[in-house]
Each structure stands twice: as C-alpha cells, then as structure tokens.
Amino acid sequence: MRRITDDTGIFQHTKFGVPDRSKGYTTDDNARALIAAVLLYKKDQDTVSLDLIHTYLSFIHHAQNEQGNFRNFMDYSRSFLEDNGSEDCQGRTLWALGFALSYSSILPDNLLNTCRYLINQALPHIEKLGSPRAVAYAVVGLSYLIKTPGALTYSFPYPHTPSTAEEKAFLSKDFITGLIERIAVRLHNQYNRTKGDGWNWYEDSLTYGNSMLPWALLRAFKLSGNAALKHTAKESLDFLASRTFAREGYYKPIGSHGWLLRGGEPALYDEQPIEACEMLLTCREAASVLQDPSYLQQADLCYAWYTGHNSLNLPLIDPQSGACYDGIHSSGLNLNQGSESIISFSIAHLVTHHG
C-alpha cells in the first residue's frame, strides 16, 4: 500500500505493481485503504500507518462536495471528473468512516472528528440510496457508530456539553438507529420480493459485492433484534456459499465476465480478490452472530484462496513484493497489482491473523 500511495492518495491501478498515474485515483479505493490503514495502525501503532490514515482521510474529505455526496474519480492532476460519485461510492465511504470511528480508543481525536463531520454531512442522502450494495455498505458503516461508545459526539480536549440545537442534532443516535432499521428492512423486503424456486437472493443475478448484503442484515439484526433480518441474512448467505464454495473444497467467487444470472450457470472468470475479502468478513460476522463455527471454516477458505487453495492452485501473492495480483482469469493470473487487490488482501490478512 505504501508503494502505491503518494501525498494525494492511493493510485487506482498499476502496471505490474508500478503505479499507473494515467488512471489517477478513486474515492472507492481510498475508502478501502482507510480501513486497511486503521487495521495496520491497530497492529503496530506506528507513525507510518498513521500517516497513511491522514492521507486517505484527507482524500475523502476533499472528495465530499458541498451537498455532502462523495465524488469518486480523480485524475493525476487532482481534478475530480464528476460532480457526484456512484451510489456504491457513497456507501463504501460511509463503511470506511464508520469503521475508523470504531477504533476511537486508539486513533487521535482530530481524525475521529473529521470522520464524524463527513458522516454528518452525508447522512441526509443515505435514505435515497437505491443500489442494494450501497445500502449494505451504509448499514455496515453506520452500525459501527451505534456500537462504539462516544462515536456520535465530537471529541474536545476539555469538558464539553452540547448546548445549541445544532450540536444536539449532530449525529443523532435515534435518527441513525431508525435509518439503519428502515434501509435494512427495505433490503429484506427486496429479498422477499425476488426469492423463489430455489433462488434465495435479493436480485435476479449474483454479480459483485454479493456478501455485503447478508452482512448488512446481520449487523442490522444485532442492533434491532429483528429476527426476520437474521433469517434473511442466514438464508441468503447460505445460498451465496452454495454458489461460491466448490465441491473440491475451495472458494471460487462468481466470475466477473458474465456473473451468474438466475437460472443460469456462473461465469468461471475473472475471479476478483475483493470478493474473497468481503466474503471472509461476512463469514466471520456470521460465525459470531449466528453462533456457528462452520462460518469460520468458510472464512478460512476465503483467505486460503489468496495463498493458493483456489481453482488454479496458484498463490495470488507476489513472493517478492508481498502484493496481491489482480485475480484469476482463464489463462492464469492477472499479474497487475491494483490498489483494490492489494487492499483486499491486506484487510483479509490483518483480520485473519491479527483480529
């Protein structure tokens, strides 16, 4: 991560691990990198990791427009190429900011306050999100705020009690809890409208970021106690697992060249590193919430995908640099090492080996 990060942020793409400046940066990648950098700082509490957190958070701050939405694509000259990023970008960024706030016990107050400010600016737009994945990312991110003591108020270096109406309305716990419940139930209702005939999913296709949907409902269940959310999360996660864990005993994500359409067969390639990471995180959450250790075994298989227990029996980790290749395609490994792949493996490795 450090090698492909400059003073602006993390580069989107590389050519065999060397930053491709022509492709610039994205908020998506800097948000994911923020999660990885926080995990690195949790492990080492070193100045290098803290500097990375500053860089990625500064990028996200610059990405937020005056309305509170996040722009996504930035060219190498530091100019954003759009006024608003995708809905998925909004959700992913909230995930990262909420995750960072969950480490309020170790991160400096100035970083935490920046996260709080950015989330508060983005909140008015969350309920309008239509993309199921955007909703899922947002639910996961916002749930960290409710579960983390002190996450909802600015940190002051002296005793302070909110006094103005604006201060009292800042990151309202009741509002955020209600928002999580409403958009999670909306996801649950979409599932019920779509499932049937052995197809236990939220849409008529399995594409990218699939595991985020059941993960979001698991997180929402922990907050609300709504058993229907728990049931949908388990049923849909088990369905996803039935389509992504091969009979031979390894993890095989849905191929990005065609995906899996209802009633069809899954595309074999390309297998993307981000899918293994997000499925690993979801399975670990499921093991905890559902009190079922078999999900930990699935999480371990997701990690093993990176190290060679996969459809090609090839490790995706560059033995010289430690970076992650960009996936598995029909003729072998994609030897590029983009930020999404490197970050995904970093998160998977840190969560698996350092909690």
Side-chain angles (χ1 to χ4, degrees):
M1 282 172 51
R2 299 183 185 103
R3 293 191 192 105
I4 60 172
T5 298
D6 65 4
D7 59 353
T8 298
I10 195 165
F11 286 99
Q12 181 182 10
H13 291 296
T14 75
K15 182 59 68 176
F16 305 116
V18 176
D20 184 348
R21 299 182 183 188
S22 70
K23 301 299 191 297
Y25 319 82
T26 70
T27 303
D28 279 336
D29 290 327
N30 279 272
R32 283 186 281 254
L34 176 60
I35 294 173
V38 168
L39 289 170
L40 279 170
Y41 186 70
K42 174 196 171 190
K43 171 178 168 286
D44 298 326
Q45 299 204 19
D46 61 315
T47 57
V48 175
S49 299
L50 192 60
D51 286 345
L52 288 176
I53 294 172
H54 273 273
T55 298
Y56 303 141
L57 189 55
S58 177
F59 187 100
I60 293 169
H61 174 260
H62 186 49
Q64 192 169 50
N65 63 25
E66 293 181 358
Q67 291 73 42
N69 287 312
F70 296 99
R71 298 169 290 182
N72 195 14
F73 293 96
M74 175 191 278
D75 64 22
Y76 186 60
S77 66
R78 297 185 177 182
S79 297
F80 277 102
L81 305 179
E82 59 199 349
D83 294 328
N84 292 287
S86 67
E87 288 195 348
D88 286 0
C89 174
Q90 313 306 312
R92 285 191 190 99
T93 307
L94 279 174
W95 173 26
L97 294 170
F99 181 82
L101 276 172
S102 72
Y103 285 90
S104 58
S105 61
I106 62 171
L107 290 177
D109 287 344
N110 66 316
L111 296 177
L112 299 170
N113 283 339
T114 302
C115 292
R116 294 178 179 112
Y117 170 82
L118 295 171
I119 292 172
N120 192 62
Q121 296 296 103
L123 271 181
H125 305 286
I126 303 309
E127 199 150 7
K128 304 171 191 173
L129 294 174
S131 160
R133 284 155 195 80
V135 168
Y137 285 120
V139 167
V140 172
L142 292 175
S143 68
Y144 288 114
L145 273 68
I146 304 302
K147 286 291 186 179
T148 305
L152 299 174
T153 56
Y154 278 133
S155 300
F156 288 84
Y158 53 84
H160 177 79
T161 301
S163 56
T164 67
E166 183 178 3
E167 279 189 296
K168 292 177 180 178
F170 181 80
L171 292 181
S172 163
K173 182 175 182 179
D174 289 342
F175 175 80
I176 294 174
T177 302
L179 175 62
I180 292 171
E181 173 77 7
R182 290 192 299 275
I183 61 178
V185 167
R186 202 170 76 204
L187 197 59
H188 161 75
N189 290 340
Q190 180 171 342
Y191 173 82
N192 283 330
R193 288 194 302 269
T194 308
K195 73 169 186 173
D197 298 324
W199 181 264
N200 295 330
W201 199 244
Y202 307 79
E203 302 169 298
D204 287 326
S205 59
L206 285 168
T207 56
Y208 65 94
N210 299 303
S211 64
M212 295 301 301
L213 280 65
W215 187 15
L217 294 189
L218 289 170
R219 299 284 302 184
F221 162 71
K222 287 171 66 176
L223 292 177
S224 68
N226 184 339
L229 302 182
K230 177 182 177 182
H231 174 78
T232 294
K234 175 174 170 47
E235 189 173 75
S236 59
L237 178 56
D238 290 346
F239 173 76
L240 177 61
S242 73
R243 298 300 190 273
T244 53
F245 288 98
R247 293 179 182 176
E248 294 81 1
Y250 54 79
Y251 176 66
K252 183 171 176 51
I254 305 295
S256 61
H257 290 171
W259 306 117
L260 170 58
L261 304 182
R262 190 170 190 164
E265 294 296 323
L268 297 179
Y269 303 105
D270 290 355
E271 300 178 36
Q272 303 289 340
I274 191 172
E275 303 301 332
C277 174
E278 292 181 350
M279 187 65 164
L280 182 153
L281 296 173
T282 300
C283 288
R284 288 176 67 92
E285 186 81 57
S288 172
V289 175
L290 303 176
Q291 294 293 294
D292 185 344
S294 68
Y295 290 105
L296 285 179
Q297 297 170 10
Q298 292 181 343
D300 289 342
L301 288 175
C302 292
Y303 183 77
W305 179 86
Y306 294 102
T307 59
H309 189 43
N310 53 50
S311 60
L312 292 186
N313 290 314
L314 290 173
L316 278 88
I317 309 308
D318 183 334
Q320 295 177 321
S321 69
C324 181
Y325 296 122
D326 272 353
I328 297 174
H329 52 59
S330 57
S331 59
L333 299 178
N334 182 339
L335 297 183
N336 290 319
Q337 300 167 8
S339 62
E340 180 180 288
S341 303
I342 291 172
I343 295 164
S344 295
F345 175 66
S346 297
I347 293 173
H349 180 79
L350 289 163
V351 168
T352 299
H353 294 288
H354 301 284

